[in-house]
């Protein structure tokens, strides 16, 4: 297996973390993903882009283990990954955010972030209920970690605010906080910047870069905004009608005729 | 020196009772009064005060900062150790006596310590406004020739790196928060904690040097250099000596009986003289605790948690809080709202008198007590003012309604008049003599006189040493006898001896008919309406006054929501006809009030326009302390001003704006100009 590469800004990218091998996903007769292969390397920011309906979200769901492809395999840390329950995925160090925010609306930001720590909690239901001994120490420890994430994402001011009262941009940030609280090795972001204004997008971009830089988290993201993708990611996969039409550095992608055609449109004859 | 230490050590609580003194302070204060001219018993610098505090009450909290959701506390001993480590680290990096050390960031204990660490190695701290853009910073950094720059985070590092080619003496950049800094070239970049660690490691090597430099500090050495915000022209570096800072802190602490039990919240810009005096000067002199908020957004919550006993805010802060309260009360249930208004009416009637200790009849007092239980107490608690012993507002005039609101709640809010060149204090209101239209009597040790042109002059131990590298400005501001020109026009009220400020002296002019033109006077009347955030009045040398208005987006936005008026932006709301009509009413009401003043009745506003953008410091229209820069606004919006005077009903304009990330753009708008009714003054006089 090869040794990775060095990015233009001097970051060392490691070996392959996750590899998609000839994935095909069908819903009945509809082929959502057709024979796609690519890899994600340790420490890199990998983007998946493509026009609407290209199959990006389906791809992310395959990566997260939510969809099981009819053909092909997902290799994780050098081994084919078996079919898993969501909690098993989380235990493997994969966390994600959703395109349509999926937070606990009635709970405070802090509580939401704390739910991201659940996989780290070892004490049993009874111990947590009576709040003694190990459970208490564990809660303190996890709260400390959650607070570090809150500080990192600059959401101190809304720590105790119920999520339902927050504007959209902040909810997205809270979702990222919850995903980070799980200390993921691989972070999957499903359109982290959809529906945001320019300023919010810039903030989010900065946070994604900082997460990658600070925690060394490998990040795979789906995004529509080409400008953002080109600035953020180290390598980009381009999908169109369920097929991979390009894979490479942002510069490669920018000059790829198939990509240009997919985005600007050519007549399909 | 010996007498002080002796008395203070004797004055332990048990003995204190026996000798009849209630705490340490009065004892040594009496002894030191005689030593004023030479410094107080060896306490010639901030590092010396730090050492006294660490020795005498070392375990008392000195600084707190909320981080990770918890208030982290440092005692005076810990603070001394932190500062020593940093000072040793600075020596290790090669800081020289007399070097300038710039400090940029929001209020954080580490940055306050940086200032004191710089002082203890004989260097001069220069705090800068953290929201200044790179060019503004470049000017100041190069003007003072800072060799060292200590900043908070990546944002500030980027700004300094962006302009470093223009900085001739700049060598070392120290940053506090390592986040996002990994990829930077670290040849002249240092992390704060690393500098401290290196300092601790080199303790034996440099401690002698550090002690020698700290003890060599004299009363006339520079304590700090602060750049004025500059309503006109480039900022000027005001040099303040240890004498200026310590004497001012001492006098002002005595004036308001500030002791080491006070708690303050440090939230105003570190580059502002007020913050330096409260969070460093007075805090180190009296030994009280400085609390730093978690972030600027958590400010109100942190304020409530700390409950400061000594509070300071520009009028804008009080206005914003009052606006928030009023908006929330309008959203409250019927019972709560009626209760609030009922008891607030009562508080307005008797609250200020009760606060001043004036006679109030028993029934009113009883009702006030009930109100306190039901309304005032909980409200003060929500605002974070439950424990405020002394609160000050300064910088601008405060609206009488706003001022009275806080006082009627039983909050001892007072007015202060000061400036950087005076080390803050020129005049302040003593307890029991508080009014909204004066700024009080001369502060202890301050002499005030009013020049022939109405300009106010002062002379005090706090009068600044000089403007750095600017002898012409120094000479034109401070005369040979030590009288300093404030640049403000005002007069001393005969009856009370209180100082009243009318306006900036250079802004005061004449109307074409010879009447006095004082724009600030009118602007303040307009700004007192919650809907109006900012106003700029024109008319010097002309027949009529006109005005630019900025609406307050919070207040007007809430009103719009209530009345189902949809709007997408500030610009759209500002141009709404109903908003224009509401503002017109305010302008006309303000005109009626202006007409009552015999001297300034000519300053009524005939025509006005609501600007399509908020005046902003990033566009150079306001100073960083949010004061209006008239000349710049006059130039920039000359087309709108022309339209105000040529009678046209509308004006189309394009304005350049700077976005928060530094990019430039422009917005175009067509603004409606409204006429406001004015009171015919001569008729009124004839009728009377």
């Amino acid at each position: 297996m090869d040794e990775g590469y060095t990015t233009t800004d001097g970051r060392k990218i490691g070996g392959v973390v996750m590899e998609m091998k000839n994935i095909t996903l069908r819903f009945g007769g509809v082929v959502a993903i057709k024979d796609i292969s690519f890899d994600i390397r340790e420490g890199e920011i990998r983007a998946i882009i493509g026009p609407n309906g290209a199959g990006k979200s389906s791809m992310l769901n395959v990566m997260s283990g939510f969809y099981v492809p009819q053909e092909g395999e997902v290799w994780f840390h050098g081994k084919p990954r078996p079919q898993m329950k969501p909690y098993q995925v989380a235990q493997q160090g994969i966390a994600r955010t959703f395109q349509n925010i999926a937070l606990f609306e009635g709970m405070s930001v802090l509580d939401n972030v704390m739910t991201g720590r659940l996989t780290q909690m070892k004490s049993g239901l009874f111990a947590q209920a009576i709040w003694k001994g190990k459970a208490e120490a564990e809660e303190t420890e996890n709260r400390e970690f959650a607070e570090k994430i809150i500080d990192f994402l600059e959401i101190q001011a809304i720590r105790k605010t119920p999520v339902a009262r927050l504007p959209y941009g902040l909810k997205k940030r809270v979702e990222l906080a919850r995903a980070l609280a799980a200390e993921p090795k691989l972070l999957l972001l499903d359109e982290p910047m959809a529906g945001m204004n320019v300023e919010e997008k810039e903030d989010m971009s900065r946070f994604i870069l900082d997460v990658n830089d600070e925690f060394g988290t490998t990040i795979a993201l789906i995004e529509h905004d080409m400008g953002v993708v080109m600035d953020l990611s180290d390598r980009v996969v381009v999908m169109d009608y369920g097929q991979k039409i390009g894979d490479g550095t942002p510069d490669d992608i920018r000059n790829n005729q198939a990509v240009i055609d997919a985005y600007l449109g050519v007549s399909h004859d | 020196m010996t007498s002080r230490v002796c008395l203070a050590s004797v004055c332990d609580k048990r003995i204190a009772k026996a000798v009849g003194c209630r705490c340490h302070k009065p004892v040594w204060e009496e002894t030191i009064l005689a030593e004023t001219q030479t410094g107080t018993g060896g306490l010639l610098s901030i590092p010396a005060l730090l050492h006294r505090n660490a020795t005498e009450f070392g375990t008392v909290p000195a600084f707190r900062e909320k981080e990770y959701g918890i208030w982290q506390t440092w005692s005076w001993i810990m603070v001394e150790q932190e500062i020593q480590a940093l000072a040793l680290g600075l020596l290790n990096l090669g800081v020289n006596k007399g070097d300038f050390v710039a400090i940029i960031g929001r209020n954080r204990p580490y940055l306050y310590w940086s200032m004191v660490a710089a002082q203890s190695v004989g260097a001069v701290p220069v705090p800068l406004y953290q929201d200044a853009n790179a060019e503004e910073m470049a000017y100041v950094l190069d003007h003072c020739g800072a060799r060292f720059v200590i900043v908070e985070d990546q944002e500030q590092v980027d700004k300094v790196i962006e302009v470093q080619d223009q900085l001739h003496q700049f060598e070392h950049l120290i940053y506090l928060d390592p986040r996002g800094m990994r990829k930077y070239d670290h040849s002249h970049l240092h992390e704060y904690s690393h500098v401290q660690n290196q300092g601790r490691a080199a303790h034996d090597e440099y401690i002698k040097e550090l002690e020698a430099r700290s003890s060599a500090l004299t009363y006339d050495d520079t304590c700090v250099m602060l750049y004025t915000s500059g309503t006109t022209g480039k900022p000027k570096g005001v040099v303040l000596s240890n004498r200026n800072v310590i004497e001012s802190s001492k006098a002002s602490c005595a004036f308001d009986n500030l002791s080491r039990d006070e708690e303050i919240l440090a939230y105003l810009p570190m580059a502002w003289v007020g913050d330096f005096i409260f969070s460093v000067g007075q805090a180190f002199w009296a030994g009280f605790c400085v609390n730093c908020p978690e972030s600027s957004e958590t400010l109100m919550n942190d304020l409530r948690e700390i409950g400061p006993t000594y509070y300071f805010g520009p009028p804008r802060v009080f206005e914003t809080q009052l606006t928030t309260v009023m908006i929330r009360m309008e959203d409250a249930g019927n019972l709560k709202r009626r209760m609030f208004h009922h008891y607030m009416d009562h508080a307005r009637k008797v609250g200020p008198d009760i606060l001043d200790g004036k006679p109030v009849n028993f029934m009113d007092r009883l009702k006030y007590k009930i109100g306190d239980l039901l309304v005032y107490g909980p409200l003060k608690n929500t605002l974070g003012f439950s424990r405020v012993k002394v609160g000050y507002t300064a910088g601008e005039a405060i609206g009488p309604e706003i001022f009275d609101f806080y006082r009627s709640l039983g909050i001892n809010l007072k007015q202060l008049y000061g400036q950087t060149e005076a080390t803050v204090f020129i005049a302040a209101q003593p307890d029991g003599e508080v009014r909204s239209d004066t700024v009080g009597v001369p502060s202890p040790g301050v002499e005030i006189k009013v020049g022939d042109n109405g300009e106010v002059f002062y002379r005090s131990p706090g009068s600044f040493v000089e403007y750095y590298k600017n002898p012409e400005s120094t000479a034109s501001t401070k005369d040979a006898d030590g009288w300093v020109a404030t640049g403000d026009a005002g007069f001393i009220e005969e009856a009370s001896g209180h100082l009243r400020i009318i306006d900036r002296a250079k802004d005061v002019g004449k109307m074409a008919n010879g009447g006095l033109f004082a724009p600030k006077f009118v602007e303040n009347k307009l700004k007192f309406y919650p809907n109006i955030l900012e106003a700029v009045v024109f008319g010097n040398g002309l027949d009529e006054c006109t005005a630019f208005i900025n609406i307050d987006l919070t207040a007007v936005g809430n009103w719009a929501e209530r009345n189902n008026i949809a709007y997408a932006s500030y610009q759209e709301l500002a141009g709404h006809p109903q908003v224009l009509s509401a503002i017109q009413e305010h302008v006309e009401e303000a005109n009626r009030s202006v007409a009552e003043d015999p001297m300034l009745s000519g300053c009524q506003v005939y025509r006005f326009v609501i600007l399509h953008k908020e005046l902003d410091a990033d566009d150079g229209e306001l100073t960083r302390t949010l004061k209006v820069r008239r000349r710049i606004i006059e130039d920039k919006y000359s087309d709108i001003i022309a339209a105000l005077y040529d009678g046209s009903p509308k004006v189309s304009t394009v304005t350049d704006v700077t976005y928060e990330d530094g990019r430039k753009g422009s917005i175009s708008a067509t603004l409606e100009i409204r006429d406001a009714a004015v009171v015919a003054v001569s008729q009124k006089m004839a009728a009377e």
Side-chain angles (χ1 to χ4, degrees):
Chain A
M1 195 153 278
D2 59 348
E3 288 305 302
Y5 63 100
T6 308
T7 62
T8 42
D9 58 358
R11 274 159 44 242
K12 288 262 183 295
I13 301 298
V16 174
V17 176
M18 184 181 263
E19 190 170 6
M20 318 301 286
K21 292 189 174 181
N22 307 96
I23 303 287
T24 298
L25 178 72
R26 281 187 290 266
F27 298 106
V30 182
V31 183
I33 302 173
K34 199 172 168 189
D35 192 24
I36 289 188
S37 305
F38 64 92
D39 60 6
I40 298 167
R41 289 168 178 279
E42 191 176 349
E44 77 178 342
I45 301 180
R46 189 75 151 119
I48 303 168
I49 62 170
N52 279 330
K56 303 182 301 286
S57 287
S58 302
M59 194 71 230
L60 201 80
N61 281 321
V62 170
M63 291 160 77
S64 73
F66 187 67
Y67 289 161
V68 183
Q70 280 80 6
E71 286 162 41
E73 282 177 334
V74 178
W75 282 50
F76 191 55
H77 287 299
K79 286 192 298 262
R81 193 177 66 180
Q83 195 174 337
M84 286 187 301
K85 293 259 187 315
Y87 76 91
Q88 291 169 318
V89 177
Q91 278 170 353
Q92 287 207 326
I94 299 176
R96 69 167 297 178
T97 65
F98 298 84
Q99 188 177 349
N100 311 309
I101 298 162
L103 290 162
F104 302 104
E105 295 268 316
M107 277 158 55
S108 72
V109 168
L110 179 63
D111 288 340
N112 267 284
V113 177
M114 284 294 277
T115 59
R117 298 296 296 165
L118 278 180
T119 48
Q120 319 288 330
M121 304 236 198
K122 305 280 180 292
S123 54
L125 177 70
F126 184 68
Q128 289 194 14
I130 62 168
W131 187 250
K132 272 274 166 273
K134 195 165 154 238
E136 194 185 348
E138 217 176 53
E139 171 101 11
T140 311
E141 207 175 282
N142 285 308
R143 168 77 191 268
E144 203 174 321
F145 192 88
E147 284 291 346
K148 291 224 161 101
I149 300 293
I150 287 173
D151 184 68
F152 188 84
L153 294 178
E154 294 166 14
I155 46 176
Q156 302 100 325
I158 52 166
R159 186 184 281 127
K160 304 240 163 107
T161 314
V163 166
R165 272 177 39 197
L166 297 178
Y168 180 78
L170 276 177
K171 283 186 184 173
K172 281 261 178 197
R173 214 190 284 181
V174 175
E175 222 190 14
L176 177 61
R178 183 180 60 182
L180 284 180
E183 294 180 75
K185 295 197 184 62
L186 175 61
L187 179 62
L188 307 176
L189 306 175
D190 195 351
E191 306 219 6
M193 276 158 257
M196 287 188 170
N197 64 31
V198 178
E199 208 174 306
E200 289 170 330
K201 275 184 186 171
E202 277 180 2
D203 281 348
M204 191 49 107
S205 306
R206 190 165 56 84
F207 286 125
I208 291 172
L209 287 171
D210 282 353
V211 166
N212 176 258
D213 187 46
E214 228 18 63
F215 304 114
T217 314
T218 309
I219 297 171
L221 63 98
I222 293 178
E223 190 46 64
H224 264 304
D225 188 321
M226 287 293 275
V228 169
V229 170
M230 295 302 179
D231 284 350
L232 273 183
S233 37
D234 300 312
R235 289 193 301 155
V236 184
V237 175
V238 191
M239 292 176 71
D240 191 20
Y241 293 107
Q243 287 175 317
K244 184 166 101 170
I245 58 168
D247 188 356
T249 63
D251 280 342
D252 295 341
I253 297 301
R254 224 172 257 134
N255 301 319
N256 184 325
Q257 192 56 46
V259 177
I260 296 170
D261 291 347
Y263 267 87
L264 300 180
V266 286
S267 57
H268 289 270
D269 36 33
Chain B
M1 172 94 193
T2 41
S3 67
R4 183 188 64 83
V5 171
C6 156
L7 270 170
S9 61
V10 159
C11 193
D12 127 296
K13 266 197 182 133
R14 279 165 296 129
I15 304 170
K17 226 174 188 175
V19 296
C21 97
R22 276 173 301 165
C23 71
H24 293 175
K25 255 189 74 228
V27 178
W28 41 261
E29 254 187 12
E30 276 165 33
T31 47
I32 54 196
L33 274 178
E35 301 172 52
T36 299
Q37 290 316 306
T38 54
T40 44
L43 297 173
L44 301 175
S45 65
I46 303 289
L49 290 174
L50 168 68
H51 185 65
R52 179 203 67 186
N53 297 351
T55 319
E56 289 183 13
F57 43 91
T59 54
V60 171
F63 280 89
R64 280 196 208 101
E65 182 182 34
K66 193 169 184 191
E67 189 146 67
Y68 304 129
I70 293 173
W71 286 98
Q72 322 274 348
T73 309
W74 290 268
S75 68
W76 284 105
I77 289 181
M78 290 157 84
V79 168
E80 191 180 30
Q81 287 165 349
E82 292 277 346
I83 289 174
Q84 190 194 54
L86 183 65
L88 291 167
L90 288 173
L91 285 174
N92 187 36
L93 286 174
V95 68
N96 295 321
K97 197 169 164 30
D99 276 351
F100 287 93
V101 178
I103 286 148
I104 317 168
R106 68 176 177 87
N107 315 66
R108 301 200 59 183
Y110 310 94
L111 296 180
Y112 288 114
W113 304 339
S114 301
M115 295 212 255
V116 184
Q119 290 166 340
S120 62
V121 295
V124 178
V126 186
L128 267 65
Y129 286 96
Q130 56 159 340
D131 50 357
N133 61 33
E135 294 94 79
E136 289 167 346
M137 267 180 197
Y139 174 79
V140 172
L141 289 175
D142 192 47
H143 184 259
C144 70
R147 269 187 74 211
F148 289 78
V149 182
I150 303 179
V151 303
E152 189 195 348
D153 57 11
Q154 188 187 11
E155 185 189 345
Q156 310 296 347
V157 169
D158 286 346
K159 279 195 258 184
V160 176
I161 288 180
E162 188 186 328
V163 298
Q164 63 179 342
D165 294 340
Q166 305 167 38
L167 312 176
H168 301 94
Q169 278 106 323
F170 167 68
E171 281 176 40
H172 295 285
L173 182 56
I174 298 169
Y175 59 86
L176 198 55
D177 186 351
R179 174 170 168 186
M181 294 298 304
R182 208 162 300 162
K183 283 175 262 169
Y184 285 67
D185 166 22
H186 272 71
S187 52
H188 62 274
L189 261 177
H190 314 270
E191 190 179 334
Y192 187 94
S193 60
H194 293 177
V195 175
Q196 280 189 320
N197 289 339
Q198 285 161 0
R200 287 189 191 99
H203 180 274
D204 297 342
E205 195 178 336
Y206 291 114
I207 188 72
K208 284 256 151 46
E209 174 73 13
L210 174 61
E211 279 167 4
R213 287 206 201 173
S214 301
S215 55
L217 293 171
T218 70
Y219 225 30
D220 291 310
D221 278 334
T222 304
C223 178
V224 66
M225 188 153 93
L226 301 158
Y227 277 81
T228 57
S229 50
T231 38
T232 49
K234 289 282 185 193
K236 289 180 279 194
V238 179
V239 176
L240 297 179
S241 66
N242 286 318
R243 179 192 306 277
N244 294 151
V245 171
I246 294 178
E247 290 293 327
S248 300
S249 302
K250 186 167 67 177
S252 52
C253 283
F255 184 73
D256 282 311
N257 294 317
L258 301 178
S259 73
R260 87 168 72 119
D261 302 323
E262 313 306 334
E263 298 275 353
I264 65 164
L265 189 75
Y267 70 100
L268 293 160
M270 285 184 70
W272 180 56
V273 65
D275 186 63
F276 185 80
I277 292 304
F278 304 123
S279 307
V280 178
Q282 293 184 334
F284 280 65
W285 172 261
F288 59 69
C289 183
V290 177
N291 299 281
C292 298
E294 190 168 19
S295 73
S296 51
E297 292 94 51
T298 59
L299 184 65
M300 284 304 146
N301 197 34
D302 296 338
L303 178 68
R304 188 154 62 233
E305 286 179 5
I306 286 299
T309 59
Y310 176 43
Y311 184 77
F312 198 92
R316 207 176 261 239
V317 170
F318 293 102
E319 278 169 37
T320 315
Q321 279 197 329
L322 177 57
T323 309
T324 320
V325 169
M326 287 311 185
I327 288 172
R328 284 176 64 174
M329 276 330 292
E330 285 190 22
D331 289 337
N334 197 20
L335 177 72
K336 280 188 186 168
R337 194 169 62 236
R338 282 176 56 190
M339 194 164 81
F340 173 79
H341 287 299
H342 179 77
Y343 282 105
M344 280 317 297
D345 288 345
H346 183 67
R348 279 198 195 92
K349 205 171 74 192
V350 299
D353 285 348
I354 291 176
L355 189 62
D356 287 339
K358 288 180 190 152
V360 174
N361 75 48
F362 176 76
M363 284 316 286
D364 279 344
R365 271 182 195 277
L366 187 68
K367 192 174 171 191
Y368 189 83
K369 269 266 178 269
I370 297 168
D372 194 39
L373 209 64
L374 294 171
V375 177
Y376 322 140
L379 182 56
K380 278 194 285 187
N381 191 25
T382 308
L383 294 170
F385 292 153
S386 290
R387 302 203 295 159
V388 170
K389 211 168 77 176
V390 188
Y392 274 113
T393 168
E396 292 266 352
I398 188 167
E401 295 82 13
I402 301 162
F403 194 65
D404 289 343
F405 172 80
Y406 288 97
R407 286 195 63 81
S408 64
L409 288 176
I411 299 164
N412 188 16
L413 183 63
K414 305 197 283 185
Q415 295 209 69
L416 177 69
Y417 174 62
Q419 58 177 204
T420 311
E421 287 84 346
T423 328
V424 180
F425 302 95
I426 298 174
Q429 295 178 327
D431 288 339
E433 293 179 42
V434 179
R435 288 162 46 191
S436 64
D437 58 346
T438 80
V439 294
V441 298
S443 293
V446 180
E447 300 167 74
I448 293 181
K449 68 173 185 189
V450 178
D452 300 332
N453 61 348
E455 188 171 352
V456 178
F457 292 81
Y458 64 90
R459 184 161 69 175
S460 75
S463 306
F464 73 121
V465 179
E466 59 169 356
Y467 290 120
Y468 186 63
K469 291 204 281 202
N470 194 344
E472 303 88 57
S473 288
T474 310
S476 64
T477 310
K478 188 176 170 179
D479 72 13
D481 297 328
W483 287 100
V484 181
T486 58
D488 286 327
F491 60 94
I492 291 178
E493 228 178 44
E494 299 245 329
S496 61
H498 279 231
L499 180 66
R500 275 185 73 172
I501 299 296
I502 309 172
D503 201 343
R504 297 290 298 165
K506 63 177 183 319
D507 293 336
V508 175
K510 286 260 189 301
M511 304 295 297
N513 65 8
L516 199 59
F517 171 71
K520 189 86 136 289
F521 176 78
V522 187
E523 287 160 14
N524 284 336
K525 287 205 185 291
L526 289 168
K527 278 161 66 178
F528 296 156
Y529 296 98
N531 288 340
I532 298 179
L533 182 71
E534 196 62 76
V536 189
V537 170
F538 308 97
N540 193 13
L542 301 167
D543 291 324
E544 297 171 353
C545 283
T546 57
F548 283 179
I549 305 281
N550 262 180
I551 54 169
D552 187 323
L553 194 57
T554 326
V556 182
N558 189 274
W559 166 84
E561 207 172 289
R562 203 172 297 284
N563 291 282
N564 290 324
I565 293 170
Y567 65 98
S569 63
Y570 179 88
Q571 189 181 343
E572 194 178 331
L573 187 60
H576 197 280
Q578 273 180 273
V579 173
L580 272 157
S581 304
I583 299 295
Q584 183 171 355
E585 279 174 31
H586 294 329
V587 173
E588 287 169 358
E589 208 177 312
N591 278 346
R592 286 194 284 278
S593 162
V594 170
E596 283 166 14
D597 191 297
M599 269 158 76
L600 294 159
S601 56
C603 299
Q604 296 181 60
V605 175
Y606 283 72
R607 280 158 71 79
F608 74 95
V609 66
I610 301 180
L611 283 185
H612 49 300
K613 72 175 276 286
E614 285 186 82
L615 297 173
D616 198 316
D618 284 342
D619 292 326
E621 294 154 343
L622 302 178
T623 67
R624 290 283 160 202
T625 45
L626 303 179
K627 287 182 187 148
V628 167
R629 285 172 138 160
R630 274 171 216 289
R631 306 288 172 269
I632 290 171
I633 294 172
E634 275 171 22
D635 278 357
K636 187 167 177 179
Y637 299 104
S638 51
D639 52 339
I640 305 179
I641 298 174
L644 279 170
Y645 283 99
D646 68 12
S648 45
K650 275 188 168 52
V651 56
S652 294
T653 184
V654 179
T655 311
D656 295 328
V657 290
T658 313
Y659 295 109
E660 278 200 0
D661 58 5
R663 282 177 309 158
K664 311 249 183 225
S666 67
I667 45 176
S668 49
T670 302
L671 308 174
E672 188 184 337
I673 296 173
R674 288 272 181 117
D675 294 322
V678 292
V679 179
V681 178
S682 47
Q683 284 179 356
K684 185 171 167 255
M685 280 161 108
E688 271 169 6

